[in-house]
Every structure is written in structure tokens, then in C-alpha cells.
Amino acid sequence: MEHTPLPPDVPSGSATAHAAIEALYDCARASVVEPDAAALARALAAALARTFRADDVVVAAVLDSTLASKARLRQGSLVAGPSLTREERRFIDWLLQQRQPFAAGARIEQAASAPASPWPDVIAVPALHHQGHPVALLLVARRRVYGRLGSPDLRVLETIAQQAAVAFDRAQLLAQLDSWARGLEALFKFSAAVSSERDPVSLVRDMAEHAARLLKADGGQGGLVVAGASPDDLLMESSAYWHDGVWIERTRRWPRTVGIPGVVLETEFPYLSADYARDPAHEPPDDMDEIQYAVAVPIKNGADDVLGFFELHRRDGNSAFSWQDAAFLESVANMAAVAIENARLGAALALKNQEMRALSARHVTRLEEERQHIARELHDEAGQALVGVKLSLQAMGPLVPKEVPALREQLSHLRAQVNDAATRLKVLARRLRPPTLDRLGLDMALQQLASECGEHFGFEVRLRIQTLDERLPAELETALFRVTQEALTNVAAHAAARLVEIRVEIWDRTTVHLCIADDGAGFDPSDRSSGLGLLGMRERVNMLGGEFVVTSAPGEGTTIRVTAPLP
């Protein structure tokens, strides 16, 4: 059925029956279509202003005995920003404590003990739910030009308050359900943030934003403890401020006892402020003004060391932060502490791994240098000494009398042994550090290696090397040669292969690719007893920032692939 509003010439004075019905209809409709507490407060404020021809109307939701979402109309216009003076807020707080209707022009039992009303002509009713706790407050004030507000007006407002109590109770329930849903979503996000491998600064920033959205904060920040001028001089540091859904980059530092972060660093305890502007620890950020409420908690690890902080802000017009909010923020801080410790442990481990790799790389370099030195010594010193012995034995041959054939035979045997030793010494020196690798490059060194392996080990080696415009870096050539050498040694020792194929290619002028494949017995790469050869090859490739992959299975041969970046 369509509702027909009353004409604008409804007589002023006490609310008439028609006006009361009109008010009840408007308020009932607002209660049905406005489940949100803030929208409900605005709709009720507009309905009350029309019904009572009020000059000033305040409708506020009450959460935990504290004003939450509220609306105020003056002369029919919604008041923005801080809408209550300190005297008005004190008077409304008294009304909520009394939990009784109030009319300035009526004889109410508790009116004599009331503080001075900021409104000369006012009626107010707390909307109580079924347990007697206030869930909202309805206040109507009028100038005398319309006549004083009396008991009939108060009775109408009480009736509206009973309807409003149900509507605000439902709005709070829906808000709580929405908060729980957002809480679950936030917990998933918190869990994802904790599980992710991120640096502590971005991690704390991300978790501060999630907490601010969950607690409906207007602003907030998170930060970490950093060292000051001395190791014992600790500071709180924040790199950005979250304001109305946007991060504003700026760095601020707080020493102990300075600002709320500094107080949290000093006390190691949560901090709540219900009047931020007058709080002795307040230091308003440049990015947000009109802060009314603040909450901050320390981020502490298992040893109770402070690692950082979270701080959230709300403007006037929203509800104050509670200790329940602080407890929730502490739980977020506990998760953040675990993630920060994990991130720092991961960074320390990565640094140790980097140091180990650098040490290993240095060791490999020194090993190659020592191999080169030993090979040179074997070739130049020991090899030349054997040549001298060989020449001396040759010179002694004619000096031996023909009547002593046994001595001549012994000299020939010694010359053969010296020749064999010189040959083996030459092979050993070449295996330690082939001069071909240093003089002619990787392709010639691999060709020589393939030829020697085919001769000594009895399997065929097929080599395909992409023609290079210029030589590769020395450390890269050495690594690829050593990997190939070790792979061929493993094939000879374990694979019983008939064919080994080796390919060297350059991909996109940025990557060198080495592939060594055999048709031998194969093995299980996951078997940790596969030996140190693979581990050494993998380490050589890792030191170059490359990738080492082994593909094999029993009876299916083995393929080794190496990719390494070109400088």
C-alpha cells in the first residue's frame, strides 16, 4: 500500500497523532531498508527532524557503551566532521549511563542530577535491547519558536526508540557477521603473508594494511626496530603511512618515549588513546588530520624482544578502539613476529650460502691454478728430467762392451721404462690442465678429450659444437670442460655405454647449453649414494649462476644438461 505523507501544514507544538503515525512509519521504513548502522542513523535523523520540526537531531549507534556510527542534522542539513562538542558528548555519555528517557521541560526523576544540558529544549531516549543495554541514542532539540518539547513528544520518541533498538541491534549483528567474514578473509591473507618469503619491511606494511581494513581504521602504519647512533640506541622506523586505502611513502623515526611508537618501544605494552589530540604521546602524521582514536601494539618475538610495531587511527565520528581491538592487533603482531624472524633467518641463511659459494668458487679457482701449476711442473721439470735420463741412457749404450749383452738388454729395458713414464706423465699433466684449453679454447679441448676417451675407454663419442665467434670466459670454459670430463669418467666407470653424444650450443646470444647423453645402464638420480661427482659438477654450474639437470633411470641411460648465462 502506498504511503501518503502528511501535508506540510501539520500544526506545531506537541506531536499530534498523525505526526506520530507519520514518524513511526518513516522510522519503521528506515529500520527495514537501512541495515547499515551509519545509514540507519542518517535516515532516522532525517525522519525525526521532519516529525518534531527539530532544529538539532543526533542519532548515534552505541557499541560497548561508546558512540559509534552517528548522524547529526542542524536545520535539516547533515553535519560533517567532528559533530559533537565536549559538553555535548559529556551530556550524551551521562544519558547512556542513566539508560532513562530525558526531557528538559518535563519532571523526570533523574533530571535534577543531570549535568547542564547544552540544549535548552531537548528530549532524548536511549534505545535499549532486550538485555537492557543501550544500542543507540535518539536526541531531538528545538528552538522555542516552535513551542517546547513535552511529555507527549517524549512518548513518541520512546516508541520510535523501541523500533530503533531492534533495527540497530540487527545492524550491529550484520556488521558483526560482516566483520567475522572479513576476519576470516584477513586471517587467510595474514597466513599468506606469513608464509610468503618477503622482506620484513614490506611484510609489516602489508599486514598493517590488512589489520587496518579489518578494524575499519582510517589510517595506520607499521614499522621495525632499527639501530640508532649506537647499538643500544634503538628507534622505531616506519617507511610509509596508510591513509584512506592508499600508502603514502615517507620515513619517520621515533626514539624511546617519543610518539606512540616510542612509548610502545619503551613500555613493550599495547597503547590506547581515546583523545589523540590531547594525548601526551601524540605525533600526528602529516598525511592525516582529525585523528580522534589510536591503538598501537609492539611486535615481539618468542624472547620478548621488540621487533617493531603496528599503529592504527580513526577519525572522530567512529567508535573508539577497544582492548579487544588491541588483543586482535597483538595476535597479528605475533604472526608478524614469526614471519619477520623467518625472513631474517632466511636472509642470514642466504648470506651464509652466498659466502659458502664464494668460498667454494675461490677454492675451485685455486684448485685450477694449482692443477695448472702442477701440470706445468710435471711437464717442464719432471718431464725434462725424464728426457735427460733417456738421453743419458742412449749415450751410455755405445759405451757398453759387446761382450756384455745382458747389460745392453738392461739399458734398453730402462729406456723403454723411461719412455713409458714420460708418456704417462704427459697424459697426467694434460688431464690435470690440458694446455689446449688455455691456448685454443673449449672446442679444441673437448675434441681432444673426446678422442682420448674413445681410444682409452672403448665407447664412441660424438661431438657437436656450435661455431663460436669468440672464446667464452675462462671460468665458463673451465667449468664446461670439467663437467664434460667428469661425466665421461663416470660413463667409463659405471655406465657400460657404447655411445656418448656431446652438444655445445649458444641460445639467443645469452646462454650456453651443454648436453651429455649416453646409452648406458643409467641410475636413480634420487639415490644419495650416487657419489660426489654429480655434486661437484652441480656446484661448479651453480657458482656460475647456471642450472644443472640430470635425467636418468635404470636401464635408460643418462642425460646431463647444463645451462649457464653468458656475461
Side-chain angles (χ1 to χ4, degrees):
M1 182 176 67
E2 183 179 358
H3 172 68
T4 304
L6 292 176
D9 57 349
V10 172
S12 61
S14 297
T16 64
H18 294 290
I21 294 174
E22 180 78 14
L24 292 175
Y25 178 87
D26 290 344
C27 295
R29 180 175 178 81
S31 300
V32 170
V33 300
E34 302 291 352
D36 177 73
L40 177 60
R42 291 192 296 269
L44 285 177
L48 293 178
R50 291 193 304 269
T51 300
F52 293 95
R53 292 199 173 186
D55 302 300
D56 199 356
V57 176
V58 176
V59 177
V62 178
L63 184 62
D64 296 330
S65 301
T66 304
L67 295 184
S69 302
K70 61 179 178 289
R72 182 173 190 175
L73 273 76
R74 282 178 178 167
Q75 301 298 325
S77 299
L78 188 67
V79 179
S83 56
L84 294 175
T85 65
R86 293 178 63 85
E87 292 76 13
E88 292 169 347
R89 183 180 292 274
R90 188 181 301 113
F91 180 72
I92 289 177
D93 289 340
W94 175 83
L95 291 175
L96 293 176
Q97 292 175 4
Q98 296 298 313
R99 302 183 184 180
Q100 295 289 333
F102 177 86
R107 293 185 177 181
I108 306 298
E109 181 179 351
Q110 79 279 14
S113 61
S117 172
W119 295 276
D121 189 18
V122 60
I123 56 175
V125 177
L128 308 178
H129 66 21
H130 61 283
Q131 293 182 344
H133 298 294
V135 295
L137 176 80
L138 281 59
L139 183 146
V140 175
R142 184 193 290 172
R143 293 200 303 266
R144 289 182 179 273
V145 66
Y146 297 119
R148 293 188 62 85
L149 294 164
S151 297
D153 303 295
L154 185 62
R155 188 61 175 174
V156 172
L157 191 59
E158 285 184 278
T159 305
I160 296 173
Q162 291 179 359
Q163 291 181 324
V166 177
F168 276 105
D169 204 18
R170 183 187 62 173
Q172 290 184 7
L173 176 60
L174 293 176
Q176 189 66 44
L177 291 175
D178 180 65
S179 177
W180 289 340
R182 287 185 289 106
L184 289 175
E185 181 182 358
L187 288 177
F188 286 127
K189 291 181 178 180
F190 290 144
S191 177
V194 170
S195 302
S196 63
E197 297 181 359
R198 304 170 60 188
D199 65 283
V201 173
S202 61
L203 174 70
V204 168
R205 178 187 296 194
D206 194 24
M207 297 187 76
E209 178 179 346
H210 291 327
R213 292 183 183 277
L214 181 62
L215 296 179
K216 295 183 178 180
D218 298 308
Q221 58 191 343
L224 297 171
V225 170
V226 296
S230 65
D232 296 332
D233 182 19
L234 300 180
L235 306 170
M236 288 289 200
E237 181 182 80
S238 173
S239 61
Y241 185 77
W242 190 78
H243 180 207
D244 290 340
V246 177
W247 280 103
I248 301 173
E249 301 293 332
R250 59 106 178 95
T251 300
R252 295 189 66 179
R253 288 187 170 188
W254 298 269
R256 294 182 184 272
T257 72
V258 176
I260 292 181
V263 172
V264 168
L265 176 61
E266 177 67 20
T267 63
E268 302 182 5
F269 197 75
Y271 191 97
L272 264 72
S273 177
D275 193 351
Y276 187 80
R278 292 174 174 78
D279 195 297
H282 93 288
E283 269 200 351
D286 300 332
D287 315 298
M288 179 176 174
D289 51 8
E290 299 176 352
I291 297 175
Q292 180 65 33
Y293 309 109
V295 60
V297 299
I299 301 173
K300 296 194 292 185
N301 61 13
D304 279 342
D305 298 323
V306 178
L307 306 179
F309 75 99
F310 288 125
E311 181 180 2
L312 303 181
H313 299 144
R314 285 178 183 162
R315 296 188 182 93
D316 187 24
N318 296 324
S319 60
F321 289 107
S322 64
W323 285 109
Q324 183 178 359
D325 296 329
F328 171 79
L329 203 56
E330 279 190 297
S331 66
V332 175
N334 292 335
M335 289 190 290
V338 174
I340 291 171
E341 292 285 78
N342 289 342
R344 289 178 174 175
L345 288 175
L349 181 60
L351 181 60
K352 288 296 181 183
N353 288 337
Q354 185 178 2
E355 293 175 354
M356 291 295 294
R357 291 188 184 281
L359 182 62
S360 179
R362 178 60 179 164
H363 173 71
V364 169
T365 302
R366 293 294 299 272
L367 180 62
E368 289 295 334
E369 292 174 353
E370 193 63 24
R371 280 182 170 184
Q372 189 174 22
H373 172 71
I374 294 174
R376 188 181 301 114
E377 290 293 322
L378 288 175
H379 182 273
D380 295 343
E381 300 295 334
Q384 292 300 324
L386 288 175
V387 170
V389 171
K390 176 182 177 181
L391 293 176
S392 297
L393 290 174
Q394 289 178 348
M396 290 175 62
L399 300 177
V400 177
K402 296 181 180 179
E403 294 79 8
V404 191
L407 183 57
R408 282 177 172 273
E409 183 178 351
Q410 187 67 26
L411 285 176
S412 298
H413 181 66
L414 286 176
R415 284 199 302 270
Q417 285 184 325
V418 169
N419 285 334
D420 184 59
T423 300
R424 284 184 291 166
L425 192 65
K426 183 178 180 181
V427 172
L428 177 61
R430 189 163 56 242
R431 285 186 62 83
L432 282 173
R433 182 69 185 184
T436 308
L437 180 62
D438 296 322
R439 297 171 185 172
L440 302 178
L442 177 65
D443 51 351
M444 295 300 297
L446 289 180
Q447 290 180 24
Q448 185 182 52
L449 178 64
S451 175
E452 292 177 353
C453 288
E455 293 176 2
H456 290 89
F457 299 140
F459 51 77
E460 180 184 358
V461 179
R462 295 178 184 174
L463 183 64
R464 187 174 66 189
I465 302 177
Q466 179 179 341
T467 303
L468 306 178
D469 297 334
E470 57 185 14
R471 291 188 57 176
L472 300 175
E475 63 274 9
L476 183 55
E477 285 189 342
T478 300
L480 296 177
F481 178 83
R482 292 302 183 192
V483 168
T484 306
Q485 186 181 49
E486 182 66 28
L488 292 176
T489 302
N490 289 342
V491 171
H494 309 291
R498 292 172 298 178
L499 174 65
V500 179
E501 294 183 337
I502 302 173
R503 298 196 315 273
V504 180
E505 301 170 329
I506 304 297
W507 292 350
D508 299 329
R509 298 182 178 272
T510 60
T511 306
V512 60
H513 176 251
L514 168 66
C515 178
I516 307 168
D518 68 73
D519 61 354
F523 68 101
D524 183 4
S526 64
D527 186 1
R528 295 187 177 182
S529 62
S530 56
L532 299 177
L534 291 176
L535 182 62
M537 288 189 280
R538 187 184 304 275
E539 187 61 28
R540 280 184 178 273
V541 175
N542 288 342
M543 286 187 299
L544 298 174
E547 184 179 3
F548 180 86
V549 179
V550 177
T551 304
S552 183
E556 297 183 6
T558 301
T559 301
I560 295 175
R561 291 183 174 86
V562 174
T563 55
L566 293 175

